[in-house]
Amino acid sequence: MLLAALLMPHGEFRYYAEEPLSGLASASGVAFDFRCEDPGAVDRCICYFRSGKGWYLVPFVATEKGVSSVRVLKKDVLRTEGAVSGWDKVDLVRISCWRFADGRPGRMEVSNLRPVADEDVSEETFAPVAALPPKVGEIRAMCCHSPWGLGDRGWDETVRLLKERGITDLWANLCRAGLAYYRSGVLPVSPDVATRGDQFEACRAACRKYGMRMHVWKVMWRVEKPHRTEEFFEACRAAGRFQTHATITNKWWLCPADPVNRKAEIDSFVELARKGPDGILLDYIRYPGEGWCTCDRCRGRSRVETISSLVGEVSAAVRAAAPGVSITATVFRDPLDAYDSVGQRWADWCAAGWVDFISPMDYIEDPRVFALRVETQRRFAGKAKILPLIGPTLWKDRAKASARMTEEILATRRLGCDGFGLFDCNADMIRILDGK
């Protein structure tokens, strides 16, 4: 048991203390008391559990000045580093904190470190979402991937159903890099528009009718079936506009360093903004993953700069063309990992004022882990408004989806967020909103 230890500086921004600890085979995690003079100066906190030649990483939040009680549980492991040998082989705990560049957290101390037995971890209980009263001024956005609305019901009925359930904003996926479901002079137009109508006009009419804000959600770069015309796809392939990878050949993403692709993205957003939605939403504003792209345009070029500069260019063009249209970006939930893995340094976009709203994709089923994530994201969002994206239709335990969604919504309020987004608009989501 660690009675008391100061977290000592290691490098410019990191502080940590560590202690040998065994006997975790039958434990759910550890508990300890954490003292910090200025928690507002602390960027993030992680508890490392050494096992073999690797580590289990579990984030935690300590927001109280003075002493706070912390529990770090095995079930909340964020990721591993190196080759771990199993939870029962944990032999050392390291508690690390990073300060902000201008932060001065003062004295940080850990004491009373101890294992937490399984029987000490009780199952949480939640209120149903139907019992959650609305909050004045809160943004409650709904993603709708289908360009036709909920099933085959069309936009009028879709918007009415959402409005009756307290949704304030609709994020409607009406276009992609290779297809528009409305009349466009920039993107290829879906053949279905000729028979089913312009879906921008249908969606906007429904939103105006029921008093809901409309944001057009665009999936960038991806030119994949069925959301493309074959004529456009073949033209892009012939012109060498797709990204390349050393070993992967079946992803059809346009290269963000290609001038033709960049202009098409910018022009499509300007065209949308001039149509008069309340906002636009940038999705997939990133690379597919590590190792992309290996084309001549990208060699020797910063992936982060390639993506960030485009966000800045889209923002400048849209604000010039339609100053009242808001700009939202959905992003990877880990702000530090995102720029290494996909070239997405979204904190810079927030700091520069390029986006009005940032929406990290927090599709996390455990409300406690969700709250830890959002606490970190809120600090990186800067002056942008943050709308954590909750994904109950993706969760495995559908029986608890409504109650857990309620708990996560309450967490966004407790942590000072400006609202939240929900993924995705389908029959399951309606059931969850109804508390069933």
Side-chain angles (χ1 to χ4, degrees):
M1 180 182 295
L2 179 63
L3 296 179
L6 291 176
L7 273 67
M8 303 301 294
H10 290 265
E12 187 176 0
F13 300 107
R14 187 185 187 190
Y15 300 75
Y16 73 73
E18 60 185 26
E19 178 75 6
L21 186 69
S22 57
L24 292 187
S26 61
S28 297
V30 298
F32 55 87
D33 297 328
F34 182 78
R35 178 187 295 274
C36 183
E37 293 180 0
D38 184 7
V42 178
D43 178 3
R44 65 191 189 280
C45 303
I46 296 178
C47 191
Y48 292 79
F49 296 87
R50 187 177 68 187
S51 170
K53 295 182 179 181
W55 300 82
Y56 294 100
L57 279 65
V58 185
F60 68 92
V61 175
T63 57
E64 297 180 18
K65 185 175 182 179
V67 179
S68 55
S69 297
V70 176
R71 287 204 305 179
V72 181
L73 305 178
K74 176 175 61 175
K75 66 187 291 294
D76 297 336
V77 168
L78 176 64
R79 65 176 186 269
T80 60
E81 290 181 355
V84 295
S85 299
W87 185 256
D88 60 325
K89 298 297 192 297
V90 170
D91 62 359
L92 183 138
V93 176
R94 175 184 294 167
I95 297 166
S96 297
C97 297
W98 286 259
R99 67 175 177 86
F100 286 108
D102 57 351
R104 296 292 181 269
R107 181 186 179 94
M108 290 187 286
E109 183 179 273
V110 176
S111 61
N112 196 23
L113 177 70
R114 63 215 183 263
V116 176
D118 285 333
E119 57 266 23
D120 295 334
V121 183
S122 57
E123 177 66 19
E124 66 273 57
T125 57
F126 308 106
V129 69
L132 181 65
K135 178 184 175 183
V136 176
E138 180 178 63
I139 295 170
R140 299 184 290 276
M142 177 64 73
C143 298
C144 188
H145 240 314
S146 168
W148 316 108
L150 178 61
D152 293 324
R153 301 187 186 191
W155 285 113
D156 189 89
E157 186 173 357
T158 298
V159 175
R160 178 183 63 80
L161 289 170
L162 295 177
K163 184 68 176 181
E164 290 172 352
R165 287 157 177 81
I167 301 301
T168 63
D169 292 64
L170 176 64
W171 295 345
N173 186 198
L174 300 181
C175 57
R176 296 176 178 245
L179 202 64
Y181 291 90
Y182 51 84
R183 296 178 182 89
S184 172
V186 177
L187 297 171
V189 177
S190 168
D192 292 327
V193 170
T195 55
R196 301 183 68 173
D198 185 312
Q199 296 307 296
F200 179 94
E201 296 298 335
C203 184
R204 182 173 61 176
C207 288
R208 297 294 179 265
K209 177 179 177 179
Y210 294 105
M212 184 176 294
R213 290 183 291 265
M214 173 200 181
H215 308 251
V216 180
W217 162 17
K218 183 182 183 187
V219 172
M220 303 172 68
W221 312 128
R222 297 181 63 172
V223 184
E224 297 171 334
K225 292 182 178 180
H227 306 288
R228 71 187 189 198
T229 64
E230 290 308 305
E231 180 182 5
F232 178 76
F233 172 74
E234 292 299 338
C236 289
R237 183 158 62 175
R241 291 172 57 183
F242 287 115
Q243 295 185 44
T244 60
H245 190 278
T247 59
I248 301 172
T249 59
N250 62 346
K251 276 186 180 290
W252 302 110
W253 288 45
L254 295 171
C255 176
D258 183 284
V260 176
N261 295 338
R262 293 173 72 89
K263 184 177 186 303
E265 292 289 1
I266 295 168
D267 290 350
S268 66
F269 281 116
V270 169
E271 179 185 60
L272 275 172
R274 286 176 172 159
K275 284 178 174 288
D278 294 290
I280 58 169
L281 186 149
L282 286 63
D283 193 17
Y284 285 86
I285 178 61
R286 58 178 177 85
Y287 283 86
E290 296 181 4
W292 298 87
C293 167
T294 59
C295 75
D296 291 340
R297 294 176 296 255
C298 289
R299 287 198 184 98
R301 181 170 179 163
S302 165
R303 297 199 314 161
V304 167
E305 176 57 26
T306 298
I307 296 298
S308 291
S309 62
L310 183 69
V311 176
E313 291 168 23
V314 169
S315 178
V318 167
R319 296 201 194 287
V325 173
S326 68
I327 301 174
T328 303
T330 55
V331 294
F332 272 28
R333 62 193 182 206
D334 187 332
L336 299 174
D337 178 65
Y339 63 78
D340 284 331
S341 60
V342 294
Q344 193 179 70
R345 187 159 14 196
W346 54 262
D348 291 352
W349 315 345
C350 299
W354 294 336
V355 295
D356 301 295
F357 302 98
I358 202 77
S359 186
M361 296 180 288
D362 290 313
Y363 305 141
I364 302 170
E365 194 162 355
D366 188 324
R368 291 170 293 190
V369 181
F370 172 85
L372 292 171
R373 279 291 195 183
V374 172
E375 173 63 21
T376 298
Q377 294 160 355
R378 189 179 59 82
R379 295 171 178 174
F380 279 83
K383 57 187 177 183
K385 296 180 179 180
I386 185 168
L387 305 172
L389 195 50
I390 303 170
T393 58
L394 303 175
W395 295 342
K396 294 179 180 178
D397 191 347
R398 297 297 179 86
K400 295 181 179 178
S402 178
R404 287 183 172 171
M405 185 174 76
T406 299
E407 187 71 6
E408 294 190 1
I409 291 171
L410 291 173
T412 67
R413 295 178 178 180
R414 187 173 67 252
L415 294 169
C417 298
D418 301 279
F420 55 89
L422 298 175
F423 185 92
D424 179 30
C425 184
N426 54 30
D428 269 353
M429 178 61 78
I430 297 300
R431 177 186 60 78
I432 292 168
L433 288 171
D434 290 341
K436 299 176 181 177

